[in-house]
Every structure is written in C-alpha cells, then in structure tokens.
Amino acid sequence: MLRPLLAICLLLVCSPARVWAEHDGKLQIVLLGDSTTEESIPRAVNPKGPHFEDTIRLLLATEKDLPPTNVINLGLSGDYLQGLLKNRYDRDVAKLPGVDYVFIRYGLNDMGRRENFADNFPKDFHELIARLRKDHPQAKIIPMTVIPYFDPQRSQTINDLVRQVAEKEQMEVFDIYPRYAKELEQGP
C-alpha cells in the first residue's frame, strides 16, 4: 500500500508549477471514491489509524518544497458516481474551500449498480468532472484507475472507460492498477 502512496506524492511534487488555492495556509487534497478510497477494512481493523489520508499527509510533509497539506477523504463504502452526484455532492464536495487537487477513484460499485454501465459510467464521470470544474475551477482533477479487485478483464473494462473519459476531458490518468497488481503478487 505504501508504494501507491509514494506515487501520489511524486505526482504532486512533480506537477508543473502552479498557484495553489491554499485554505488556512494548507494545500487542499480531496479524495473521492468508494471503500477502496475510504479504506473501510483498515478503518475497521485499526479505528485509531493512521488512515489513508493521514499517510498521504505524512508522506507529503517530508517534501520540503510543499506547503502543509490537508487531505480530505470523502471515500464512502458502497458509493458509486451516480450516488455521489445525487446524494452527497452538493453537501460534501461543492462548497469545500480552496481545493487544489481532486483524486477520483470510482468504478467497482458502478459496474454492479449502474444500469447500462458502459454508457452511463462515462456519462456520470463527465458530469462529476463538469461539476468539479464549476465548483472548484482552480483544482487539478485527477481520475484514477481502480485497484485489482475483480478479475483482470472486468478491471480492464472499468479502467479503459476511465482512460476514455480522461482523454476526452484532456486529463492525465493516475494509473495505480499495474503497480498495485504487482505489489499484490508479492503478498502481504
């Protein structure tokens, strides 16, 4: 798990120079996704943490050229894009102050819950991006591939759709799947 977190740190550190929309002097990073973002199992096993967002914050703190960070983990077990858009977006995401980065990792629950997945998942993803751009115009939005959860073919289907959305939106994809899969081969 640590190596994908290092990749997040590198992505932030190596991003082209930009003006950050700091809030209370801190770089604001928002994580959107399902239980793989929320880290529901580690939270159940070790409720006191450190949790995913804490680990990212601690790793970024080692980068002396970055301001202090605030990592807001809005991942929710069982969540899917349409659920976020209809139920939580306006309350939890739209009014967050000073957002600099938004990492988006959805698809696993969408595949099982969204009718006509191949058509509706990209539509939902585009809608989320449009709303984020409207509500947080200064933020860099970063779509992410899913982790290895399903069989490789189903994961590839999801990840290919994420890549297609990112290409149409002219965004870079944070492709965590290959590295995560390689780490799983090593065992715990």
Side-chain angles (χ1 to χ4, degrees):
M1 187 62 188
L2 187 57
R3 289 192 178 118
L5 294 177
L6 290 174
I8 290 174
C9 292
L10 286 173
L11 182 67
L12 293 176
V13 171
C14 296
S15 289
R18 58 188 308 233
V19 175
W20 291 320
E22 296 175 5
H23 179 69
D24 293 335
K26 294 183 178 181
L27 181 72
Q28 295 274 86
I29 301 168
V30 176
L31 310 175
L32 298 176
D34 54 26
S35 62
T36 66
T37 300
E38 177 191 36
E39 297 291 327
S40 57
I41 293 173
R43 284 181 193 280
V45 172
N46 186 8
K48 294 182 180 179
H51 299 298
F52 189 43
E53 60 275 12
D54 302 320
T55 304
I56 294 170
R57 189 174 24 259
L58 291 170
L59 286 170
L60 291 173
T62 66
E63 298 298 327
K64 301 302 179 205
D65 59 339
L66 289 178
T69 59
N70 185 28
V71 182
I72 304 164
N73 190 341
L74 295 177
L76 180 64
S77 185
D79 207 12
Y80 62 112
L81 281 169
Q82 191 60 222
L84 171 70
L85 292 166
K86 286 186 174 183
N87 302 318
R88 298 190 313 125
Y89 183 87
D90 289 332
R91 179 190 69 218
D92 296 343
V93 181
K95 294 180 177 48
L96 285 172
V99 175
D100 296 290
Y101 293 90
V102 180
F103 288 85
I104 306 168
R105 183 166 63 190
Y106 278 100
L108 297 174
N109 294 324
D110 299 81
M111 184 172 255
R113 297 182 74 176
R114 195 69 167 109
E115 291 181 22
N116 196 4
F117 174 76
D119 291 329
N120 287 322
F121 177 69
K123 287 178 187 174
D124 296 343
F125 217 122
H126 285 294
E127 181 182 343
L128 175 59
I129 291 168
R131 290 175 75 178
L132 286 167
R133 283 180 170 156
K134 176 183 156 281
D135 295 328
H136 305 288
Q138 74 285 359
K140 180 167 182 159
I141 301 166
I142 304 164
M144 299 174 67
T145 55
V146 297
I147 65 169
Y149 181 80
F150 294 131
D151 61 82
Q153 182 58 43
R154 289 177 75 187
S155 295
Q156 182 175 343
T157 298
I158 297 167
N159 290 337
D160 286 347
L161 291 171
V162 170
R163 287 183 193 95
Q164 288 170 17
V165 167
E167 184 178 340
K168 285 183 181 175
E169 297 283 351
Q170 299 180 344
M171 297 176 154
E172 296 176 46
V173 173
F174 184 19
D175 190 0
I176 62 169
Y177 185 89
R179 181 60 183 258
Y180 208 107
K182 188 173 182 173
E183 291 295 323
L184 288 176
E185 289 173 7
Q186 305 299 315

